Amino acid sequence: RSIAFKEPAAIVDGNVRRVFARLFAHEQIADAEAWRLAGELVPERDPDLWNQALMELGATVCTPRRPACSACPLASLCEAIATGRPEAFPAPKRKARPREQRALAGVLLRRGRVLLLRRPSRGLLGGLWELPNVADSPAAALVELVRERTGIAVAPGAALGSVRHAFSHIDLRLELVALEDRGGRLATRARSDAKLCGRADAAQLPLSALMKKVLALSRPSW
């Protein structure tokens, strides 16, 4: 709005947030506070230049490390500089410890091909292909998932091992089991989101790093 229509509309990005945190010596600055400050400070005249300048100030002068305080046009007003330790603002956020989660994945083989399902387009690993799996659920839930998604009947078989994988917020332990084929055809309605793949076919699909590890673990069997 400020750039296209010259309206006094505020902007907050990571650079602007850091400038405000240092200017007012806030160890942490909440979203609401950052937007309040931005709204109060944006001028009626040349708001586009103001917003561009504010973002560039954070990107080129008020940098996360070794800020060029001597070159900063706001140095005389900056409360963080007055403390003698401007880099301490904003204080680094503590990363939350990843939560532990267990999941169960199944390997269904049919004539040398493995069953893969596509994840929903939104959310974690959206749109990628994977072995059928369920989180924090018994094998019966995995059997039901395969039936609902594909129309194929299966039964849990032998354990094939496990894989540990760390996401930013999840420490995942994925157990791998064989699925015994009890018959049924891949339902027509399911064919856009379910495939029986040979190795070459699977290699052409978008797979997560986790699923590549899991398929490598199961590969002796297919």
Side-chain angles (χ1 to χ4, degrees), residues 22-25 69 74-86 89:
R22 288 177 176 165
L23 189 61
F24 301 104
C69 297
L74 301 179
S76 63
L77 303 174
C78 182
E79 295 182 20
I81 290 178
T83 69
R85 48 189 187 93
F89 302 89

Side-chain angles (χ1 to χ4, degrees), residues 1 4 9 17 31 53 77 81 88 93 128 132 144 149-150 169 172 175 179 182 212:
R1 286 168 54 197
R17 186 188 305 276
D31 285 345
L77 303 174
I81 290 178
K93 291 183 179 180
L128 300 187
E144 183 62 16
R149 291 283 304 270
T150 70
H169 59 299
L172 178 66
E175 303 287 343
L179 293 176
R182 297 295 174 86
K212 289 176 181 177

Side-chain angles (χ1 to χ4, degrees), residues 20-29 33 36-37 88-91:
F20 287 165
R22 288 177 176 165
L23 189 61
F24 301 104
H26 291 329
E27 290 191 354
Q28 296 295 338
I29 185 164
E33 175 67 3
R36 184 188 67 79
L37 289 170
F89 302 89

